[in-house]
Amino acid sequence: MKIFGTFGTRGIVNEKMSSDFALKIGLSFGSLLKEESESGKVLVGRDTRTSGQMLRNALVSGLQSTGYDVIDVGVVPTPAIQLGCRRDDDVVGGVIITASHNPPEYNGIKLLESNGMGLKKEREAQVEEIFASEDFYEADYTEIGESEQKKVLSNYKEEIKSNLEVEDIREADISIVVDPGNGSGSFGTSYLLRELGCEVKTLNSQPDGFFPGRDPEPTKKNLKDLRKLVPALGADLGVAHDGDADRAVFVDENGNFIEGDKTFGLIVDDMIGEDETVVTTVATSNLIDDLAKRNNGNVVKTEVGDLIVARKLHEIDGKVGGEENGGVIFPEMALGRDGAYTAAKIIEILSKKSESLSGLVENLPDYSQFKSKVECPDDKKSEVMDKTKNEIKKRIDADFDETDGLKAIVEDGWMIVRPSGTEPVVRCFSEAKKEERAEELLEIGLNSIKSSLEN
Ligand code: MG
């Protein structure tokens, strides 16, 4: 029985995501942990969704029934939960109840290893087996788990600060508008940045599971209020998070939306030194390659997916990892994307340079990018991808990389076609120095997908 996608499981509340489902996930996860460690604690946290408490209660009940004590850290950003697991030696596993950037009727469950990273693939498969068989471990009444509350936010903020040049940031007098979109970021970033001496104004910063301020996904369209407010207040920049604040995207002082790979590029340029490695995906801009090369560093590319990047980063002991959607991973902290740390890091970079955010972005190597998608039913994806790969190889003379879908790399750009892991679509991205070339590469990809769907 397949429950988990690339990282955790999501669904609509009281359809898939019911209290019964959460209880069984708790029972299954506890039973898996029981096979490895006789006792220990499981750390559980959540975002601001209206269904979060209901799912937490059911899930915790399942864990307690298998004999595990639970540490409830409440509504906090996802990276604070992941770091909380890593820093507590009693913790044998963790759970995040969140649907990240999905609309308010959704929720989801992510299971974590004791170090706070997403559960290993093979262990997820074991949870699925236990869930299907309902062969749960039943603790004796003398072993039933207890639940305690714990605060993890202040340690999360302190650790972020300990990694930064705090005095430089204080002296720079930076003003920022923070838009956590009514999500769990409402409890993190604005407080952290004030402690760093920034002048902070907030937007959509009261936690509210209805997400009344905006849709939880921090896209250009959804951030129109932030884009207006930053120049209106004369702030140096704006930052926005998704519902669980593991991603951070930025708006410059003029109110322009900045694509995530650009701010990731600024961080790579700042952090990567000689022989140090950045991990990103095959769908991320060559900007990252250029900046790593400029600093004599290396780039390792993986399949698309934040957990895949996090695993690789940890495995090879890389310096920093990220994706083009504003998720940056700092492996000394949470072993997952970290929204507040990303915001603080961009502010640290600004404080070191006497340049505006728009100026810093303008100085980055410039690429034109196109993104598109073609609808394709999930059960047709693998057949369509096989045909599309052949079509592309007929249409273009390139180096081909099959890490994720098919990437055609030509001298002046690249194009990738890959099936979406979450939606019934096949995606196509292209990039080149010249806009016309990027458009031409996208057309080759789209035409290849379409003719594969027809035949
Ligand atoms: Mg998220």
Side-chain angles (χ1 to χ4, degrees), residues 49 172 246 304 306 377 440-441:
R49 286 164 198 275
D246 59 346
V304 173
D306 58 308
E440 188 183 298
L441 289 167

Side-chain angles (χ1 to χ4, degrees), residues 3 25 34 38 50 64 81 86 110 117 136 143 160 172 178 204 212 236 275 277 290 303 318 331 376 409 418 429:
I3 298 171
I25 292 284
K34 211 70 197 179
E38 212 20 65
T50 57
Q64 287 174 314
I81 300 169
R86 194 177 187 186
K110 290 178 171 181
M117 189 150 53
F136 305 126
E143 303 172 334
I160 292 176
V178 177
N204 306 319
D236 296 311
D275 288 332
T277 302
D290 295 353
E303 280 170 72
C376 174
I409 304 162
R418 50 174 296 273
F429 296 174

Side-chain angles (χ1 to χ4, degrees), residues 2 20 37 76 109 116 135 154 161 176 189 226 251 263 307 326 339 399 406 440 444:
K2 195 84 191 107
D20 185 48
S37 51
V76 284
I109 300 172
D135 187 12
S154 53
K161 284 193 279 184
I176 181 167
T189 307
L226 181 66
V251 164
T263 39
L307 181 51
D399 287 334
L406 182 72
E440 188 183 298
I444 295 171

Side-chain angles (χ1 to χ4, degrees), residues 100 242 244 246 337:
S100 189
D242 63 331
D244 64 328
D246 59 346
R337 304 185 294 201

